[in-house]
Amino acid sequence: MSSAAAPRASDDSLDPKAMREPLSNAWYCVGQAASIAGGKMRAVALNGEQVVLGRGQDGALFALRDRCPHRGMALSKGKFDGDTLMCPFHGWRFGTDGRCRDVPTLSSHDASDFSRIAVQRFPIRESAGFLWVNPHLGPADPTAVPALPELGFTPAGSLVVELEVEASFDLTTLSLVDPGHVAFVHDSWWFRPSKKLREKVKTFQPVPHGFVMTSHATTKSSPVYRLLGGVPEVEIEFRLPGVRLERIAAGDKRVANYTFATPLSANRTMLTNALYWSMPALNLLKPLARPLMRQFLGQDQQVLQHAQAGLDRKPTMVLLGQGDLPSQWYFRLKREALEAAREGRAFDNPLTRQELRWRS
């Protein structure tokens, strides 16, 4: 993948502010699907917007702006009977499609037509055990949106850790494609006991809305990999808006380590790490694995928050060497998504196959 940008519209044609914000037309992880089982509602933040999630009596998911149009009350604070949401302030009722169904305080002499009142509805999907919301308010175009992550095998067990980071979405997402930080930030006995940096040579190639480090045999020095036996093959994919998919195979054994970045507000991002495995015996290690996963994500959390403080003082980055090319690719992919949307055309991945070398 060449570091030189492919010919596109001039920089002046794209609002610079758009490059500093998360993509509006994309799927973002907003929590585990099990969190709204049994007719429950759940309030989430998504890029400065408050959204209420739920599942109707028919099992269909819904995502609505968490704001009653009457006095601004959060609908998530009210009641949900599986069919309608009732605002706790004045009892207004809304269907899971967002349409107002009842205003109980109206007199029989009122001529007001509440059927035209509606709460903004957002597309919502379920995939890989998670809920995904697209906050885009314009016309839906499924071909313009990066695909939802899928698992590819039936897991015997899974483990999920969520951690909120006081850092921008872009900075947090760059940590998902940055190979150089691993040896310094994640220097733990159980993950990477070696203190010696080694030169890595990996091949990357474009995939829809992203790129992939093609399948390769990985080191067995890590205790995590030794659990699988054999010589594990690893493939790591990144796709917009902020999705990292690590797939590990050793014979018929499968492990997937997925990480998702979700913008909560301008300088708050949720990091979600999901580990899945096909071997039932690994379920015995869940009590040990959870604190280790939290430690791993906590290391990212601390360094990102310190880095954000530095960028707040001077918002510039110096990206240097082949190890920083994936970070440059992220911005090129993001720019292409924005320009394709602005020009009303299909996304055209500007990256090409390339071999990268770095020390880690």
Side-chain angles (χ1 to χ4, degrees):
M1 296 179 222
S2 171
S3 60
R8 291 292 180 210
S10 68
D11 289 351
D12 292 339
S13 65
L14 185 65
D15 179 5
K17 182 181 177 183
M19 278 296 290
R20 296 192 295 267
E21 296 178 350
L23 295 176
S24 63
N25 191 12
W27 295 107
Y28 292 98
C29 176
V30 291
Q32 298 181 66
S35 66
I36 57 170
K40 294 181 181 178
M41 293 190 296
R42 181 170 181 246
V44 299
L46 180 56
N47 200 24
E49 184 68 79
Q50 296 298 310
V51 181
V52 58
L53 315 174
R55 196 185 299 269
Q57 291 176 339
D58 58 357
L61 298 166
F62 66 86
L64 303 174
R65 176 171 282 130
D66 195 10
R67 180 187 181 278
C68 179
H70 181 212
R71 300 286 178 88
M73 183 67 189
L75 294 173
S76 60
K77 301 296 184 182
K79 297 179 180 179
F80 176 53
D81 62 8
D83 182 47
T84 60
L85 297 82
M86 187 185 75
C87 175
F89 203 168
H90 296 88
W92 288 32
R93 289 186 175 272
F94 299 87
T96 57
D97 61 355
R99 306 297 302 182
C100 185
R101 294 190 182 178
D102 185 31
V103 178
T105 55
L106 288 179
S107 162
S108 58
H109 296 282
D110 279 317
S112 302
D113 181 9
F114 59 77
S115 65
R116 294 179 296 175
I117 301 173
V119 178
Q120 175 66 49
R121 188 180 185 185
F122 301 101
I124 181 170
R125 301 286 185 273
E126 181 177 344
S127 186
F130 288 91
L131 301 170
W132 302 82
V133 169
N134 186 334
H136 185 55
L137 299 180
D141 180 3
T143 63
V145 182
L148 287 170
E150 296 181 350
L151 195 52
F153 67 91
T154 302
S158 64
L159 189 56
V160 176
V161 172
E162 298 172 315
L163 208 58
E164 189 174 311
V165 183
E166 296 290 335
S168 71
F169 177 77
D170 276 345
L171 179 60
T172 304
T173 299
L174 289 182
S175 71
L176 305 183
V177 299
D178 172 22
H181 82 283
V182 175
F184 302 95
V185 177
H186 302 301
D187 187 12
S188 304
W189 67 266
W190 55 272
F191 179 73
R192 188 173 298 276
S194 175
K195 300 292 183 180
K196 183 178 179 180
L197 296 180
R198 296 181 175 86
E199 183 144 325
K200 304 294 177 64
V201 183
K202 306 295 182 186
T203 300
F204 292 78
Q205 62 185 25
V207 294
H209 294 93
F211 54 87
V212 63
M213 180 193 296
T214 55
S215 181
H216 59 279
T218 189
T219 175
K220 294 196 296 179
S221 62
S222 169
V224 175
Y225 290 139
R226 285 204 297 269
L227 288 172
L228 299 179
V231 180
E233 291 284 327
V234 179
E235 179 184 84
I236 302 176
E237 177 186 351
F238 172 81
R239 70 177 67 159
L240 294 174
V243 172
R244 182 184 186 273
L245 308 174
E246 181 176 359
R247 307 177 183 96
I248 307 169
D252 60 353
K253 299 174 183 177
R254 297 289 183 272
V255 172
N257 187 28
Y258 288 1
T259 309
F260 316 123
T262 303
L264 304 179
S265 60
N267 264 16
R268 286 193 308 129
T269 305
M270 181 67 76
L271 266 180
T272 302
N273 189 207
L275 186 65
Y276 313 83
W277 54 87
S278 65
M279 304 81 75
L282 292 187
N283 289 331
L284 298 174
L285 299 179
K286 287 180 69 171
L288 174 64
R290 184 179 296 278
L292 295 181
M293 285 177 62
R294 289 200 67 85
Q295 179 191 16
F296 190 90
L297 248 62
Q299 292 166 341
D300 279 319
Q301 179 192 43
Q302 290 185 10
V303 75
L304 286 169
Q305 291 179 167
H306 289 309
Q308 183 64 59
L311 289 173
D312 288 343
R313 293 190 295 270
K314 186 176 182 180
T316 58
M317 299 182 189
V318 178
L319 300 180
L320 185 67
Q322 295 187 16
D324 274 344
L325 280 180
S327 296
Q328 296 183 39
W329 296 342
Y330 164 70
F331 288 115
R332 292 182 64 197
L333 291 166
K334 184 177 180 180
R335 175 175 291 277
E336 165 57 20
L338 291 168
E339 291 183 345
R342 181 181 56 80
E343 297 168 8
R345 58 173 175 81
F347 179 92
D348 181 16
N349 196 321
L351 308 180
T352 58
R353 182 182 177 91
Q354 186 169 337
E355 183 181 88
L356 296 189
R357 295 174 179 266
W358 71 90
R359 292 173 63 80
S360 180

